Amino acid sequence: MRKGLVVTLLWLAAGVTAWQLLQEPDTQLEGMVLLAVVIGGAATLLIPGLFFSANAEVIELRGAPRLALFHAAALLIVATLALMGHFERGEGEYIWKYGEPRTISVPKRWTCKMGAGECHGFWEALGSDDRTQQGTVHVWRDDFDESGLRGPLPAGEEDDTVEFEGRALGDEAATSGYADQHREAVVLGRIPAVVGWVAGGLGIILAFYSTAPGRTPRR
């Protein structure tokens, strides 16, 4: 009972620490890694626990092979980092850090999501012969306000385009306002999606194996 309470308190402390690290620009990467450790470690036991509890089974953690549990947790931590990277790839900071310089044009009317800082725009396609690429433009908030993109156009004003200097990657672009926004922390998006899928699948399999009822206990 005491050991379980101590483990729970340590888990909570790690979660709170991760949350605090995420609040500071200089420690966001460390916070994401620590958060992944907390989530991956918890998932190692919670995923099979929910399954076996639904089937009225009891998990024999004392007999679980520690090496298998360790590997399961490590794999699920990698999967969590890959999932964070998936969301990171859709952020303006990531587009700016890994994109190529482009002049981006954004029409003023009916192209921006209010409050989201995202617009529909177009620019010269990467590595193409004057082809135009269309897609989402992440407009930094100051650029958004100064360019007149916020709110509908006044009556009688012509629908014009606003040009920004920025960077583009695939079908997404970001304006230059993202140049100094925590660029050193934007690295998880480089983890290939296939790594997350494989690590997550293997981690879940090992977690089930390690805690499966009826498995021969460890001596």
Side-chain angles (χ1 to χ4, degrees), residues 13-188:
V16 171
T17 302
W19 178 256
Q20 291 177 338
L21 291 173
L22 288 170
Q23 306 311 305
E24 298 295 331
D26 295 336
T27 57
Q28 283 184 346
L29 180 58
E30 291 84 350
M32 287 188 287
V33 172
L34 182 56
L35 183 61
V37 171
V38 172
I39 295 174
T44 304
L45 302 180
L46 291 179
I47 292 175
L50 292 172
F51 177 81
F52 292 133
S53 296
N55 289 274
E57 299 282 5
V58 178
I59 301 175
E60 296 291 344
L61 291 180
R62 290 185 178 181
R66 293 177 181 175
L67 188 59
L69 280 176
F70 174 81
H71 285 157
L75 287 166
L76 289 173
I77 289 170
V78 171
T80 304
L81 291 172
L83 179 62
M84 292 178 177
H86 167 74
F87 292 109
E88 189 175 85
R89 283 192 288 273
E91 297 178 356
E93 291 88 346
Y94 182 88
I95 306 300
W96 177 266
K97 181 173 183 178
Y98 299 106
E100 296 185 19
R102 287 292 182 272
T103 298
I104 304 160
S105 298
V106 177
K108 283 187 176 182
R109 190 184 295 277
W110 313 123
T111 63
C112 300
K113 296 179 182 178
M114 298 304 298
E118 294 182 358
C119 304
H120 180 80
F122 49 91
W123 56 92
E124 182 182 347
L126 302 179
S128 65
D129 298 327
D130 298 326
R131 286 192 302 109
T132 299
Q133 173 72 54
Q134 297 187 36
T136 299
V137 180
H138 301 267
V139 183
W140 183 244
R141 56 176 176 265
D142 292 340
D143 298 333
F144 199 91
D145 292 335
E146 294 172 3
S147 61
L149 293 174
R150 187 178 300 279
L153 290 175
E157 183 174 332
E158 293 185 5
D159 187 12
D160 199 359
T161 58
V162 180
E163 289 193 346
F164 299 100
E165 292 304 314
R167 295 184 182 180
L169 182 65
D171 61 352
E172 295 192 67
T175 61
S176 58
Y178 283 94
D180 298 318
Q181 305 306 312
H182 326 314
R183 294 177 59 186
E184 71 285 350
V186 189
V187 296
L188 297 182

Side-chain angles (χ1 to χ4, degrees), residues 186-218:
V186 189
V187 296
L188 297 182
R190 306 301 284 178
I191 302 175
V194 65
V195 171
W197 284 108
V198 172
L202 292 176
I204 291 173
I205 291 172
L206 276 176
F208 272 104
Y209 165 76
S210 303
T211 57
R215 187 189 45 72
T216 302
R218 186 185 70 250

